[in-house]
Amino acid sequence: MNIQPPETWPTTVEEALQIQTQLKSLVQTTDQLGTVKYVAGVDVGFKDNYTISQAAVAILSFPDLTLQETAIAQRPTTFPYLPGFLSFREVPVILDVLEKLTITPDLIICDGQGIAHPRRFGLACHLGVLLNQPTIGAAKSLLIGKHDHLPTEKGSWTPLKDQGEIIGAVLRSRTNVRPLYISPGHRMSLETSIDYVLNCITKYRLPETTRWADKLASHT
């Protein structure tokens, strides 16, 4: 992929907050994607007592979910772990790994939040805006918002709300397992985000994109 990363990355919360405020107006939550032939999963793990960030990307063909390409990249960790600012810790090394790809994905599913974020600018939004690519946030845990009761059957979902605004969905990806928290990242609607995540689920809780990326990022 041909990527133009920012010249510098913030090192303080104040700088990061300013960037989130500037870029969040660029997020599009309507469907702006063409035919999806390749879907990517990205994830980040850490080594050497969190001093090294290691990103992995897995490209799968869609809809058959056959693994096509993988890549790994490392760089020093330069931003602390702070809820709501995960993208500044992980996106720099994610851009590094995406640059290694020979296949350009049509859609990227992130192991993190999209607009289900205090400032509506989670990791999937940040990555999507920088790349101008369709992205989805498919997080394993809740960052913000409340929701009604969720049925136990696979495919069930209920809106995730914050201050009266629908910011995502709580999705049951497998019957009787803990849900996922889905939200648009960029150039995706909520309903389409849910559909693509479900179409990337096989027999596990996580979409195949995330399973592959997680395995590579944390166990390689």
Side-chain angles (χ1 to χ4, degrees):
M1 291 180 67
N2 184 18
I3 294 170
Q4 301 295 326
E7 291 184 6
T8 61
W9 291 95
T11 56
T12 67
V13 170
E14 291 75 19
E15 292 171 338
L17 188 59
Q18 185 177 20
I19 290 172
Q20 287 181 338
T21 302
Q22 290 172 343
L23 296 184
K24 70 177 181 180
S25 63
L26 302 178
V27 172
Q28 300 292 320
T29 55
T30 56
D31 293 327
Q32 299 175 40
L33 73 168
T35 301
V36 176
K37 295 182 179 180
Y38 297 103
V39 60
V42 292
D43 196 17
V44 176
F46 296 92
K47 293 179 175 293
D48 298 340
N49 198 28
Y50 294 91
T51 60
I52 300 296
S53 302
Q54 176 168 286
V57 58
I59 304 287
L60 281 65
S61 53
F62 187 86
D64 61 293
L65 304 179
T66 302
L67 185 67
Q68 301 293 320
E69 185 178 6
T70 64
I72 292 174
Q74 294 182 350
R75 70 157 57 199
T77 306
T78 58
F79 201 87
Y81 174 76
L82 294 170
F85 295 94
L86 185 66
S87 66
F88 297 99
R89 187 173 169 91
E90 298 193 358
V91 167
V93 72
I94 290 174
L95 294 181
D96 290 345
V97 77
L98 291 175
E99 221 168 7
K100 295 185 174 186
L101 292 174
T102 61
I103 298 172
T104 299
D106 304 296
L107 172 64
I108 301 174
I109 300 178
C110 302
D111 182 17
Q113 311 291 344
I115 64 168
H117 179 274
R119 289 166 294 283
R120 311 297 186 255
F121 197 72
L123 186 153
C125 300
H126 200 161
L127 184 65
V129 166
L130 290 178
L131 297 173
N132 193 27
Q133 283 273 98
T135 55
I136 298 170
K140 302 183 191 79
S141 58
L142 178 68
L143 175 63
I144 189 173
K146 297 183 179 181
H147 60 89
D148 294 334
H149 171 75
L150 179 66
T152 60
E153 293 78 22
K154 178 182 177 179
S156 301
W157 68 274
T158 189
L160 180 65
K161 298 180 181 180
D162 179 52
Q163 299 180 353
E165 178 185 357
I166 295 175
I167 59 172
V170 185
L171 173 67
R172 193 79 70 183
S173 58
R174 295 289 298 169
T175 299
N176 291 324
V177 300
R178 289 175 293 123
L180 299 176
Y181 299 88
I182 311 302
S183 58
H186 186 49
R187 295 172 53 180
M188 298 289 291
S189 68
L190 177 58
E191 291 77 9
T192 302
S193 298
I194 294 168
D195 287 343
Y196 272 101
V197 170
L198 281 173
N199 280 309
C200 289
I201 298 287
T202 57
K203 58 183 179 178
Y204 301 99
R205 176 191 177 219
L206 300 177
E208 288 299 289
T209 45
T210 302
R211 284 203 333 110
W212 275 106
D214 177 72
K215 187 186 305 183
L216 290 164
S218 300
H219 306 289
T220 303

